[in-house]
Amino acid sequence: MKTFILYFCIICKWQSSCNALKENFKIRETQHQFAARTPYCRQITLRLSPMAPHGSSRKWIVLATALVVAGLATGEGTVEGQKRRPNVVILVADDLGIGDLGCYGNTTIKTPNIDRLSEEGVRLTHHLAAASMCTPSRAALLTGRYPARYGLVGEEGTAPVVVHVASRVGLPPEEVTFAKALSAANYTTAAVGKWHLGMRCKLGGFGCRGPQEHGFQSFYGLPFTLAAELEGPHDFWLFPQGERFYKILARLCLVGVLTILVWGWLVKCSQETQNTLFAVLALGLGVAWFVHTHYRFHTEKWWQVSPWMDQHLNGILMENTKVVEQPVTLPGLSQRLVDYSLDFISDHAHDENPFLLYHSFAHVHTPMFTAKHMEGKSEHGRYGDNVEEMDAGVGAILEALRLHEIDDNTLVYFLSDHGGHLEAIDKGQRTGGHNGLFKGGKGMGGAEGGIRVPGIFRWKGHLPAGKTIDTPTSLLDTLPTLLDLVDLPPVNSLLPDLPERDLDGVSLAGLLKEGVDLKPRSLIHHCRQAIHALRLVVEKRVYKMYLAKHKWSPGSTQCGWGSNNLCSCYGDGVEDITFEPEVYDLTNDPYEDNPISNETTEYTHVVGALRQFLAEWKARVPYPPSQFSNKADTVLSPWLQPFRIPFL
Ligand SMILES: *[C@@H]1O[C@H](CO)[C@@H](O)[C@H](O)[C@H]1NC(C)=O
Ligand SMILES: *[C@@H]1O[C@H](CO)[C@@H](O)[C@H](O)[C@H]1NC(C)=O
């Protein structure tokens, strides 16, 4: 009887899948006619019919067989696998502004896949990054804790983020990420795409664990990030003769050679001694040339290296601990990353254990590059093309979930790590995102445009579809929320052997499922390690108090122009208003046009409450110095550099 029911189930399932598939093939056929065949299309077609020849009847036979097998797998799953927890897919866009998506009100950019995700899930309109730069924001996302707690933020005069693969800074091994927590609960975990939280390789560049040190069982992607310098070519042999250092070097060389020759002639020393002296001279001058040309110790930004070094040493692609591309080939990178995720999904869709896929897009960070078939398609230049290519990647991943019929058993969370980079410009074209009507952007700790990000949760049948939530939420809430949604205990009970830790995030499960209000909370907005603003959330009211503000270029909410331009968090670029804070009522004035008068009781209450919170916070949570203030740990250390070993 049981067998009969199972058989019946398979037939039913097969019927509906068949129709879906037929439809899907129609769409694919047309897509093939229009656009060039994207790797995504190939991928999904191959995945469904591994040996399908081009003849259509044989293709259908193979497909039918594949479906019966798939049906069997799911059939079995429903009979005995009631307790299988949902899969988790986290999609992280890089530097994407909240104003860059159709579902957040952009009328001209085309993001149909993300828009559909939002129609099928919960869209957060007041979703906040814990920092406005990649490294600290991602650290907060993964750990649920402010990165200032473990020094993964910049300070005055340091780098703002992890700047080299070959360095010792990064997410401390004792921090617990959601990957570590879900791994402990038998999830199969993978990180794909940008990491940017430190690799900490061993001598010779071996044993770079990065994501694998933090609960991700596999990794394929960029240990660092995209950066303008990754788009080459850059010269290695540089000798700008006009510069003082090189003039001195040339003179030293000349004087050195002459001295050795004259001295050798005078004392009649052997040819060998002379050659040794020449070698010592060449080595000394060579080292001086290299360090001056390829390191930036002599500048204020002492942690930087030359564009050639960045491209060749930081611009690498790794698979687990192995370097597979050096330097990374940019065209097609988005597709290669997505293909890897599609493989991962297909390999684990019907496993006994659920999976966690953390797909962190390389886009839409500078430099701008797109596959040929997406180039020039958008109405917003190369930046728009990048957004649309990223959206296509989201589409491919969602499509894979649908084709494997794990849609309703997979929690999908889409977000951006922080606001768009307003200053970014290249070849006369803006290459940064659009933060809607919010003021400011990337690199600005307190300014709303730097931290207000898109956030969409979808879990069909478990979370409401097409719902919008305006309650303030944070990327810090991710870890507790995920554990709660997949029905696991909080992190301290899940991992009782590890030391207890305080989380700064709270679970949003009740809010997402049933709109249950969160408890009143205060959020801190850091600019590097400095606290630039605080937010008070009490029931439906939200206030923001500024202690420091950026001095923007007149008539704008940004700090000049340039691909590497960012507002500074300290010094002359900032106006300190600690003694007369500015307060905004975000409930009635979301774009912060009119500060509340400091003569109102409302002002006094908000400032009083937040000052008290801040004093208690500072007493309770002392910040260690920034990891980046340790020069030896931060600068590029060649002996820690992983290399691609040819033929391996
Ligand atoms: C849509 O996004 C583009 C690209 O960032 C931007 O230039 C444009 O202003 C946005 N449009 C709207 C209506 O938000
Ligand atoms: C993980 O798997 C082990 C062994 O199968 C099992 O004992 C344990 O309960 C599982 N953990 C969770 C959280 O499901």
Side-chain angles (χ1 to χ4, degrees):
M1 187 60 192
K2 203 169 151 194
T3 327
F4 177 74
I5 293 174
L6 191 68
Y7 184 68
F8 189 70
C9 280
I10 294 166
I11 301 285
C12 296
K13 241 191 168 66
W14 184 16
Q15 281 274 325
S16 63
S17 325
C18 256
N19 290 338
L21 252 160
K22 266 187 215 156
E23 231 180 71
N24 187 51
F25 260 86
K26 260 188 242 150
I27 298 169
R28 273 188 198 291
E29 250 22 309
T30 17
Q31 271 183 356
H32 276 261
Q33 282 158 12
F34 278 120
R37 222 185 238 245
T38 75
Y40 308 142
C41 292
R42 273 211 308 278
Q43 189 78 19
I44 292 173
T45 321
L46 281 176
R47 215 130 288 302
L48 280 169
S49 49
M51 306 156 293
H54 285 293
S56 65
S57 63
R58 277 185 65 190
K59 191 188 219 163
W60 280 108
I61 293 169
V62 178
L63 270 176
T65 326
L67 272 170
V68 172
V69 175
L72 267 172
T74 23
E76 224 142 28
T78 36
V79 173
E80 57 173 24
Q82 292 294 351
K83 278 181 292 176
R84 191 184 190 277
R85 293 177 205 284
N87 310 303
V88 177
V89 174
I90 301 185
L91 305 168
V92 186
D94 197 4
D95 290 15
L96 177 77
I98 193 167
D100 288 331
L101 297 176
C103 54
Y104 281 90
N106 197 311
T107 46
T108 45
I109 212 154
K110 291 180 199 70
T111 53
N113 297 296
I114 301 169
D115 298 350
R116 184 161 49 87
L117 192 68
S118 135
E119 276 160 30
E120 296 171 349
V122 182
R123 185 176 65 104
L124 303 170
T125 63
H126 201 136
H127 201 40
L128 298 157
S132 61
M133 295 292 287
C134 303
T135 300
S137 170
R138 285 155 191 263
L141 169 73
L142 265 70
T143 62
R145 284 152 56 81
Y146 287 113
R149 283 180 181 269
Y150 40 88
L152 203 56
V153 287
E155 254 174 33
E156 189 164 13
T158 74
V161 294
V162 171
V163 277
H164 302 298
V165 177
S167 77
R168 272 189 294 263
V169 292
L171 192 59
E174 58 276 9
E175 284 302 317
V176 173
T177 64
F178 53 69
K180 212 182 258 181
L182 291 179
S183 249
N186 300 332
Y187 271 73
T188 307
T189 58
V192 180
K194 160 167 168 167
W195 176 242
H196 210 184
L197 288 165
M199 290 306 279
R200 273 200 271 257
C201 309
K202 304 223 168 60
L203 197 64
F206 292 103
C208 307
R209 307 221 331 119
Q212 290 175 296
E213 188 175 33
H214 290 287
F216 293 101
Q217 293 148 27
S218 53
F219 170 56
Y220 177 77
L222 303 166
F224 182 51
T225 172
L226 287 184
E229 292 74 19
L230 266 49
E231 203 172 37
H234 302 291
D235 285 334
F236 179 80
W237 299 110
L238 289 170
F239 205 91
Q241 285 164 22
E243 278 181 36
R244 197 161 153 257
F245 173 83
Y246 296 94
K247 276 187 198 156
I248 297 175
L249 209 63
R251 277 179 211 150
L252 277 178
C253 184
L254 194 67
V255 172
V257 170
L258 286 178
T259 315
I260 295 171
L261 284 178
V262 172
W263 177 80
W265 177 70
L266 282 177
V267 304
K268 305 216 167 7
C269 75
S270 72
Q271 190 64 36
E272 268 158 40
T273 318
Q274 237 181 30
N275 285 351
T276 314
L277 287 174
F278 278 129
V280 169
L281 179 72
L283 189 71
L285 294 178
V287 168
W289 169 82
F290 177 79
V291 171
H292 187 89
T293 310
H294 289 292
Y295 276 92
R296 295 286 179 267
F297 295 127
H298 56 287
T299 69
E300 231 171 65
K301 297 191 171 175
W302 49 264
W303 56 87
Q304 291 187 341
V305 292
S306 68
W308 186 92
M309 296 268 274
D310 257 330
Q311 191 192 5
H312 288 81
L313 303 183
N314 290 324
I316 57 177
L317 186 75
M318 296 183 82
E319 184 165 4
N320 299 322
T321 55
K322 201 171 91 185
V323 179
V324 290
E325 290 182 26
Q326 182 174 30
V328 60
T329 310
L330 295 179
L333 174 65
S334 308
Q335 285 74 11
R336 295 201 296 288
L337 296 177
V338 170
D339 282 353
Y340 191 91
S341 285
L342 298 186
D343 274 341
F344 176 81
I345 293 173
S346 115
D347 288 348
H348 300 289
H350 299 293
D351 279 2
E352 203 177 301
N353 287 332
F355 66 77
L356 160 72
L357 170 64
Y358 172 75
H359 186 99
S360 163
F361 290 93
H363 279 336
V364 289
H365 200 290
T366 52
M368 299 291 124
F369 58 89
T370 16
K372 272 275 172 293
H373 68 277
M374 304 233 43
E375 222 166 81
K377 286 278 154 68
S378 83
E379 285 178 35
H380 296 285
R382 282 176 294 134
Y383 180 79
D385 293 351
N386 272 240
V387 174
E388 295 186 4
E389 186 175 61
M390 192 260 313
D391 178 78
V394 171
I397 291 173
L398 297 181
E399 183 65 357
L401 298 177
R402 193 179 72 81
L403 290 175
H404 288 290
E405 301 188 329
I406 50 173
D407 244 8
D408 52 359
N409 198 29
T410 302
L411 169 67
V412 181
Y413 172 33
F414 173 87
L415 71 140
S416 174
D417 62 348
H418 50 70
H421 185 187
L422 300 181
E423 292 84 1
I425 193 160
D426 185 31
K427 299 175 196 117
Q429 234 182 57
R430 277 201 63 210
T431 50
H434 177 67
N435 299 323
L437 295 173
F438 299 109
K439 298 182 170 65
K442 175 178 179 176
M444 306 178 209
E448 203 66 8
I451 49 177
R452 185 78 75 103
V453 294
I456 302 166
F457 278 90
R458 183 193 82 174
W459 185 12
K460 288 185 176 175
H462 298 264
L463 297 181
K467 191 173 171 189
T468 298
I469 291 182
D470 301 326
T471 308
T473 52
S474 168
L475 266 53
L476 288 164
D477 301 331
T478 306
L479 182 144
T481 303
L482 292 181
L483 293 187
D484 201 356
L485 283 176
V486 309
D487 201 20
L488 283 167
V491 68
N492 287 328
S493 351
L494 182 65
L495 301 163
D497 300 339
L498 297 181
E500 284 247 330
R501 65 202 60 242
D502 285 337
L503 291 191
D504 298 312
V506 298
S507 169
L508 305 175
L511 176 71
L512 295 173
K513 280 188 192 155
E514 286 139 13
V516 180
D517 272 332
L518 301 176
K519 289 206 190 99
R521 72 195 298 202
S522 302
L523 289 163
I524 308 172
H525 305 303
H526 298 88
C527 196
R528 302 206 178 181
Q529 203 189 56
I531 295 177
H532 273 199
L534 293 150
R535 186 175 315 239
L536 181 68
V537 188
V538 187
E539 276 147 27
K540 299 276 176 231
R541 298 205 71 87
V542 189
Y543 294 96
K544 187 160 151 203
M545 172 175 96
Y546 283 93
L547 300 174
K549 299 198 82 171
H550 298 287
K551 293 181 193 159
W552 289 321
S553 310
S556 78
T557 68
Q558 67 191 71
C559 296
W561 287 105
S563 277
N564 289 318
N565 257 38
L566 288 168
C567 285
S568 63
C569 300
Y570 299 90
D572 290 345
V574 177
E575 188 190 349
D576 184 350
I577 48 171
T578 316
F579 293 103
E580 189 76 65
E582 220 167 82
V583 175
Y584 291 91
D585 172 359
L586 295 189
T587 323
N588 295 312
D589 181 20
Y591 306 119
E592 303 172 310
D593 293 316
N594 306 298
I596 302 182
S597 153
N598 58 8
E599 280 157 18
T600 56
T601 48
E602 207 178 8
Y603 179 91
T604 322
H605 279 153
V606 173
V607 172
L610 285 175
R611 277 196 170 141
Q612 189 187 343
F613 164 80
L614 187 60
E616 284 168 13
W617 172 262
K618 284 185 171 164
R620 189 162 57 85
V621 186
Y623 292 166
S626 160
Q627 291 189 36
F628 312 137
S629 61
N630 183 325
K631 294 192 179 173
D633 285 353
T634 306
V635 295
L636 194 154
S637 313
W639 53 92
L640 303 177
Q641 177 69 44
F643 277 103
R644 192 174 80 87
I645 304 168
F647 316 115
L648 261 186

